[in-house]
Amino acid sequence: AAPLCALAHRAVDDELRHTELSRLVASHFAGRALAPAPRLVLEPPRHKGASPALRDTLYVVGQCVLNETTAGVFLESCLEVAEGELARAALRELLSDEIEHGRLGWAYLASLPVDERRAVSPWLLPMAFLNLRQWRYETPVDERHTDGLARHGAPPAELLHGALVDALRTLIVPGLKELEIETAPVEEWLDSGADTTKSP
């Protein structure tokens, strides 16, 4: 749908703005202007065995429904502990955009015929596992974490990891169930502790 395409185009611009916003905040804390971070190389998942149409849907589910929804919860955790005016302003701007990016995925998924939505079901557990593992291990919490860092928006590990699992349990799973997508394997994995050290 045209409104979703417009939102997707805007999301690309949002991400570029996020890069610059993050650089400006980091420069403030560093006390000097920092160079832009190198651009990351995008390596989209292959989803071997999926049809081209399903692969497109899985891209959107992975990036928006899973990742952007989780990003919103991550930023809420940051805001929960942040006290600094600059950090809170930056986090609010990022959070506002990430909510919209998550909505893009949910709206796209809801627009599909029910049989196309249900085709996502067998892929959900490995995608949820990989998404949570990435958030846990590629968003590391420094072992030297202090209250001072928290005041600038860096949540302690126990708060962050609890929020990440809670995002799956209370936001993502209920949303998928509402769209008639089977979530029992994901729920069983969550109930067993959401272990991300070994594949479920």
Side-chain angles (χ1 to χ4, degrees), residues 72-96 99 150-155 159:
V73 172
F74 167 74
L75 291 166
E76 285 180 339
S77 299
C78 296
L79 265 173
E80 187 176 328
V81 296
E83 297 176 8
E85 187 175 327
L86 175 62
R88 289 187 63 81
L91 288 167
R92 281 194 299 268
E93 182 170 340
L94 294 172
L95 176 58
S96 175
I99 289 171
R151 287 194 293 272
H152 291 300
L159 174 63

Side-chain angles (χ1 to χ4, degrees), residues 6-184:
L7 184 57
H9 284 295
R10 196 187 80 193
V12 174
D13 291 335
D14 289 342
E15 297 297 347
L16 295 173
R17 182 165 43 81
H18 294 178
T19 300
E20 179 60 11
L21 176 62
S22 299
R23 188 190 69 79
L24 290 173
V25 172
S27 295
H28 173 80
F29 287 122
R32 60 186 174 83
L34 298 176
R39 294 287 294 273
L40 299 176
V41 177
L42 177 63
E43 295 183 15
R46 293 181 177 84
H47 299 302
K48 291 180 181 177
S51 68
L54 177 57
R55 191 175 298 119
D56 289 345
T57 296
L58 293 173
Y59 285 157
V60 177
V61 170
Q63 184 59 39
C64 297
V65 172
L66 288 171
N67 196 56
E68 296 285 12
T69 303
T70 305
V73 172
F74 167 74
L75 291 166
E76 285 180 339
S77 299
C78 296
L79 265 173
E80 187 176 328
V81 296
E83 297 176 8
E85 187 175 327
L86 175 62
R88 289 187 63 81
L91 288 167
R92 281 194 299 268
E93 182 170 340
L94 294 172
L95 176 58
S96 175
D97 289 340
E98 301 297 47
I99 289 171
E100 287 299 304
H101 300 171
R103 284 177 176 164
L104 170 62
W106 289 106
Y108 170 77
L109 201 52
S111 74
L112 297 176
V114 67
D115 60 319
E116 292 184 30
R117 295 200 301 267
R118 289 174 176 164
V120 171
S121 298
W123 301 83
L124 279 179
L125 179 56
M127 290 174 69
F129 165 79
L130 290 170
N131 185 262
L132 182 59
R133 187 177 72 177
Q134 181 173 346
W135 276 99
R136 278 181 169 166
Y137 301 119
E138 295 188 22
T139 311
V141 177
D142 196 312
E143 293 178 358
R144 301 163 296 173
H145 190 278
T146 64
D147 290 342
L149 286 174
R151 287 194 293 272
H152 291 300
E158 60 273 14
L159 174 63
L160 175 57
H161 293 168
L164 297 176
V165 172
D166 193 56
L168 271 169
R169 189 184 300 280
T170 65
L171 293 174
I172 294 170
V173 164
L176 294 170
K177 290 172 79 169
E178 185 69 22
L179 294 172
E180 303 180 59
I181 297 172
E182 177 59 53
T183 60

